[in-house]
Amino acid sequence: MTRKIRATAAIALIGATALLATGCSAGGNASSGGSDGKVSMTFWNNSTTGPGKAFWQDTVKAFEAKNPNVTIKIQAIQNEDLDGKLQTALNSNSAPDVFSQRGGGKMAAMVNAGQLLDISDSIGSGAKSGISEGSFKAFDLNGKTWAMPTNVDPEGIWYSQDLFKKAGIEGTPTTMDELNADIAKLKAAGIQPVAVGAKDAWPAAHWYYNFALRACSADTLNKTAQDLKFTNSCWKAAGEDTKSFFDTEPFNDGFLTTSAQQGAGSSAGLIANHKAAMELMGAWDPGVISSLTPDAKPLSDLGFFPFPEVSGGKGAPGSMMGAVGGLSCSAKAPKKECTDFLNFVTTKDVQENYYKAFNSIPANKSAQSVVTEPYLTTVLKAYNDAPFVSNYLDTLYGQNVGNALNTSVVNLLAGKGSVSDIVSTVNQAAAKG
């Protein structure tokens, strides 16, 4: 993931990522090394169904075949539960051996707490040559590398080409005015325009993230990651733009109780079953959508376009929200076995299988040749052309600020808060550390 200007924590993952757990506390999953040289680890991942679940099962079997001294037990955890369980494990000294890494302020907090393994001297030659320097920069801090990039997840709007045609929409919107006009056409055709899983908070907050990306300069976004002071006027401007969009009532019926990725009634499920026309989400979304179609196959009319431009902002046109998916080893992990697994996951064959399972762009450049779906090639082009890619704000600014931001945006959407509340709430969260 990267080119041109990127935030230091430029991109982190949300797609399918893995967790290897260890611990000695009650209820923990302990990795162990016996006197016979055997090592046992537990692998947590957020792929609970379908091709993603099968991918990790097959990948672990292949790794074990090449490393007969290592046994990995798989446990799948629902994505929305992952961060909380991980934080609890880290804080209780029962941290996973290897786990999904989102970068940004969350990673910095782990590094500062001494909870991560420095993998700088364990990155294999294949990973070094196959993965871009920019992708590794997403996980660099204090001159060291703390995670292995696995996949690239730029964000934008996924849409049904069939529903657009039904509403008489030609092409895709490039400005917010054009998006609003298309939403009006969809409503006139009796089609729910935009699906959002506001029950999970973060999907709704991503609208604010993208408005902030348009309103704020790259320097402001990066400076705020250092001082956590949301004093620039662009933060309020982004809130005003978000409220103006929310006031057009673009979302699906019952959006406040709609989940993001679980079941046919989720926001991804509404797209998968042609119940809504659009969803703002990262590049892992096609895989989730395909798992929720009636035949559990990729949505044949799926399309993609970047978040529209907003007039008057200080963000460079074409800038994107995005994430680099990664795996970190905990500080207490068996270093050789843990980093061997990280290197294995980035090999060309495994990366190609990753793409086939998740429809998500692999980090290894040699594996990106298998990306043929028009919507993903569109994503790659927009990503490669972007002058700046920012990590998701709840990751970039850490857990406390991120949670406060997500909650305050949902409150705005629910009519329980104001634009000013967003700024004041995140400033209060930042002050608490």
Side-chain angles (χ1 to χ4, degrees):
M1 340 179 205
T2 31
R3 117 179 237 282
K4 302 184 183 176
I5 308 172
R6 302 266 191 223
T8 309
I11 312 175
L13 130 87
I14 293 181
T17 45
L19 299 161
L20 272 166
T22 162
C24 300
S25 63
N29 295 303
S31 64
S32 61
S35 58
D36 58 357
K38 300 288 187 181
V39 175
S40 176
M41 299 187 293
T42 300
F43 174 35
W44 294 0
N45 69 75
N46 64 352
S47 300
T48 58
T49 60
K53 181 177 182 180
F55 165 80
W56 285 120
Q57 291 172 336
D58 293 342
T59 299
V60 164
K61 287 179 181 178
F63 178 76
E64 289 175 336
K66 290 179 175 291
N67 300 270
N69 65 309
V70 181
T71 300
I72 299 176
K73 298 179 181 178
I74 299 176
Q75 180 181 348
I77 301 172
Q78 179 59 38
N79 179 67
E80 281 68 30
D81 297 330
L82 202 57
D83 277 357
K85 289 181 179 292
L86 174 59
Q87 194 61 53
T88 298
L90 288 167
N91 292 342
S92 63
N93 200 33
S94 58
D97 289 313
V98 61
F99 52 88
S100 66
Q101 182 54 257
R102 306 186 191 277
K106 292 181 179 179
M107 186 188 78
M110 296 175 193
V111 172
N112 293 335
Q115 295 168 333
L116 298 187
L117 181 70
D118 171 15
I119 68 167
S120 304
D121 61 355
S122 301
I123 300 170
S125 59
K128 287 182 179 178
S129 62
I131 299 173
S132 72
E133 181 181 353
S135 293
F136 276 112
K137 283 184 178 179
F139 303 122
D140 284 355
L141 187 66
N142 302 331
K144 299 177 181 179
T145 302
W146 303 95
M148 181 75 76
T150 57
N151 59 294
V152 180
D153 283 321
E155 182 170 69
I157 298 179
W158 305 90
Y159 74 103
S160 163
Q161 297 179 67
D162 288 350
L163 292 183
F164 266 41
K165 290 177 182 177
K166 183 177 179 181
I169 299 171
E170 296 181 1
T172 53
T174 60
T175 67
M176 189 53 57
D177 287 341
E178 290 175 355
L179 176 62
N180 288 331
D182 289 345
I183 287 173
K185 291 179 181 179
L186 289 162
K187 286 183 177 181
I191 299 168
Q192 297 188 101
V194 181
V196 63
K199 178 182 179 181
D200 293 322
W202 59 267
H206 277 223
W207 284 93
Y208 177 84
Y209 300 175
N210 280 273
F211 280 116
L213 185 69
R214 296 288 179 257
C216 302
S217 69
D219 286 344
T220 296
L221 291 174
N222 289 336
K223 183 178 182 295
T224 304
Q226 300 299 318
D227 61 24
L228 292 182
K229 294 180 180 179
F230 295 81
T231 55
N232 192 290
S233 61
C234 70
W235 296 110
K236 184 175 181 180
E240 296 289 356
D241 289 339
T242 304
K243 184 178 187 304
S244 294
F245 179 70
F246 286 176
D247 285 348
T248 67
E249 300 183 352
F251 299 131
N252 58 284
D253 297 336
F255 58 85
L256 289 173
T257 56
T258 298
S259 63
Q261 301 175 351
Q262 302 176 56
S266 66
S267 56
L270 293 177
I271 305 300
N273 293 280
H274 287 151
K275 301 297 183 181
M278 291 178 274
E279 181 182 27
L280 174 65
M281 194 60 65
W284 63 86
D285 208 29
V288 179
I289 291 171
S290 67
S291 72
L292 298 173
T293 58
D295 58 2
K297 294 181 180 179
L299 191 66
S300 61
D301 69 317
L302 187 65
F304 172 89
F305 59 90
F307 193 86
E309 299 297 333
V310 180
S311 61
K314 296 181 180 179
S319 296
M320 297 182 76
M321 280 285 154
V324 170
L327 301 178
S328 282
C329 294
S330 78
K332 296 183 178 181
K335 183 172 183 178
K336 182 182 185 304
E337 290 78 11
C338 186
T339 55
D340 281 351
F341 182 73
L342 266 57
N343 280 300
F344 181 74
V345 172
T346 66
T347 57
K348 184 175 183 292
D349 289 347
V350 175
Q351 287 272 283
E352 288 179 349
N353 289 332
Y354 184 100
Y355 158 75
K356 294 173 184 176
F358 297 110
N359 290 122
S360 183
I361 301 167
N364 189 323
K365 293 177 291 184
S366 65
Q368 290 179 357
S369 61
V370 299
V371 177
T372 57
E373 283 80 358
Y375 50 80
L376 286 182
T377 57
T378 302
V379 174
L380 267 177
K381 184 181 186 306
Y383 179 79
N384 289 332
D385 289 344
F388 173 69
V389 176
S390 172
N391 205 333
Y392 300 115
L393 301 190
D394 57 348
T395 298
L396 185 61
Y397 300 140
Q399 186 168 359
N400 287 345
V401 171
N403 289 343
L405 178 58
N406 292 348
T407 300
S408 60
V409 172
V410 171
N411 286 341
L412 176 69
L413 179 57
K416 298 179 180 179
S418 67
V419 170
S420 295
D421 289 339
I422 296 176
V423 178
S424 62
T425 298
V426 295
N427 275 318
Q428 290 169 12
K432 293 178 181 178

